[in-house]
Amino acid sequence: MSSCNEDGRGGTAPAVSSGSPGAEAPRRRVVVLGSTGSIGTQTLDVVSQHADRLEVVGLAVFGRVDELARQAREFGVRHLAVGDARLAGDARCDELAAWCAAEADGSFGVGADAVVGLTQLPEADVVVNALVGEAGMRASYETLAAGKVLALANKESLVVAGDLIMPLAHDLDARRRAAGLGPAFGPAGALMPIDSEHGAIYQCLLGEDAREVSRLWVTASGGPFRGRTRDELTAITPAQALAHPTWNMGAKISIDSSTLMNKGLEVIEAHHLFAMPYDKIEVVVQPQSAIHSMVEFADGSVKAHLGTTDMRIPIQFALSYPERWGAPVQPMDFRTLGTLEFAAPDEDTFRCLALARHAGAVGGTLPCAMNAANEVAVAAFLAEECGYLGIAACVEAVMDAHERAGVQRVESLDQLEDVDAWSRAEARRWVERGRA
């Protein structure tokens, strides 16, 4: 049965802990967009471990229909969506439609609108956005516009549309706090980052005055090619770039990690999430990935967030906030950690970090152009259509073209989708010229 929040919007906000260890709260009802990817499958594992607290009510994938069917049956989910419009009429989709129709209020759809439509389910409390790339941007916007908690793993939502999405998050935070649905101190939990770095910063800032922060330290593993020169990167293969030393991630984010574009995207995200100017956000290489990020304060004190390198920890915190539940993985044993190393990132060799910083500093639609070009370039590299160093070269070429044409102030999702389409076309032309 669906219910409404105090402002009349659909859904029931997650209950706030009463502090009583024996108190029971209703299960938080979760929609997972991108349920068959790395973050999606780990989210479902967290749900399985806390079935008394969490319930899946909606699942969406792009094209992995067989896996979606398995997940739907395992978790008893009757609201499903497949993003790839080319699969409309596929026999497997017909079977899933019948599965959903077996319950009176079930729903099934194919196409991008069907995926976004799951954010509007009246019974949903939290939407986990684990979609890859620009496709997740509209889903993030609509989740917050519907008054639902956004657990965000889609970096592009803030990189591209942070100017539109963060005001929605701030408004929802204010309404949740006024309705008594957030903790007495700290963020009210409208937008919870599912990201080891931003989840770490989020927790380091709890109970602190943001005006007393002097720097955010975003940590980076350095990727598989840390310490190599540009000459040593010319013949890198996709298989080598996918071999991340410490994290188990999807293909696109693994490539971004190797080029340090991932850190550039995270710098822009941190700027939006924490309202922090770019000159107060630094990247530091921490190869062991034991320190997930740090916050430095005006008096010289530094808070660091450490933990096991497993994404189920930040996923669970995003779903449990403001509570903390039992660890979903084996906690870190500091007796066996060994040494911790720190180094400055090599922005001359790994150009993507510097390009992302420039895009963020200029702002407007330039981050959108940068992100679209990077998605095309990474896909081309994975398809062996351009070299490894060609990723940064392609991104820089598209950014230069966009700046020459004139960077615009961000005004709407439709505008950003137009810039995204233009940038992708420019990037594809660059790739084709390189192959000619």
Side-chain angles (χ1 to χ4, degrees), residues 8 56 95 123 126 187 195 197-198 267 292 312 334 354 380 428:
V56 182
E95 290 177 8
E123 60 266 43
V126 184
D195 188 317
E197 292 81 5
H198 300 103
V267 166
H292 298 151
R312 284 171 291 185
F334 290 95
R428 290 189 188 101

Side-chain angles (χ1 to χ4, degrees), residues 33 68 87 89 97 136 140 153 170 338 352 377 423:
L33 307 181
L68 175 63
L87 292 173
S140 292
H170 294 320
C352 285
S423 303

Side-chain angles (χ1 to χ4, degrees), residues 94 138 211 225:
D94 292 341
R138 190 172 291 275
R211 295 171 298 182
F225 309 131

Side-chain angles (χ1 to χ4, degrees), residues 172-396:
L172 182 54
D173 260 346
R175 288 190 282 120
R176 285 170 58 81
R177 188 173 285 108
L181 299 173
F185 303 99
L191 197 169
M192 297 297 299
I194 293 183
D195 188 317
S196 63
E197 292 81 5
H198 300 103
I201 293 170
Y202 195 105
Q203 294 181 63
C204 287
L205 288 172
L206 292 177
E208 299 287 354
D209 187 337
R211 295 171 298 182
E212 297 174 348
V213 174
S214 60
R215 249 186 312 195
L216 304 180
W217 288 96
V218 178
T219 56
S221 70
F225 309 131
R226 178 173 56 92
R228 297 198 191 186
T229 65
R230 287 183 65 81
D231 288 343
E232 292 172 327
L233 296 176
T234 55
I236 290 298
T237 67
Q240 290 172 313
L242 288 169
H244 195 279
T246 52
W247 290 98
N248 178 23
M249 305 179 294
K252 197 267 182 181
I253 194 172
S254 294
I255 301 301
D256 283 349
S257 178
S258 75
T259 64
L260 294 193
M261 175 58 86
N262 202 40
K263 290 304 122 179
L265 299 179
E266 288 172 4
V267 166
I268 298 174
E269 278 188 283
H271 164 75
H272 287 294
L273 276 170
F274 307 113
M276 198 63 57
Y278 284 100
D279 61 1
K280 289 188 174 184
I281 306 173
E282 299 288 348
V283 173
V284 59
V285 175
Q286 206 286 291
Q288 293 78 25
S289 297
I291 297 179
H292 298 151
S293 275
M294 301 175 286
V295 175
E296 181 179 334
F297 296 92
D299 63 354
S301 300
V302 178
K303 277 187 177 181
H305 180 282
L306 290 81
T308 303
T309 54
D310 193 300
M311 285 303 298
R312 284 171 291 185
I313 293 177
I315 290 169
Q316 180 172 297
F317 182 74
L319 296 176
S320 70
Y321 183 78
E323 301 172 335
R324 290 187 186 272
W325 301 340
V329 297
Q330 187 66 33
M332 177 178 287
D333 185 346
F334 290 95
R335 297 166 298 183
T336 62
L337 181 58
T339 60
L340 294 175
E341 304 172 64
F342 301 91
D346 181 355
E347 295 188 30
D348 293 328
T349 300
F350 300 94
R351 289 276 300 139
C352 285
L353 176 54
L355 291 171
R357 275 192 168 278
H358 174 72
V362 171
T365 53
L366 189 58
C368 178
M370 173 208 68
N371 177 74
N374 181 63
E375 287 193 20
V376 171
V378 168
F381 170 68
L382 288 170
E384 300 185 350
E385 295 173 350
C386 81
Y388 183 75
L389 294 178
I391 297 174
C394 178
V395 171
E396 186 167 18

Side-chain angles (χ1 to χ4, degrees), residues 105-122:
D105 64 344
S107 65
F108 178 80
V110 178
D113 289 345
V115 173
V116 174
L118 291 181
T119 68
Q120 308 302 299
L121 286 176

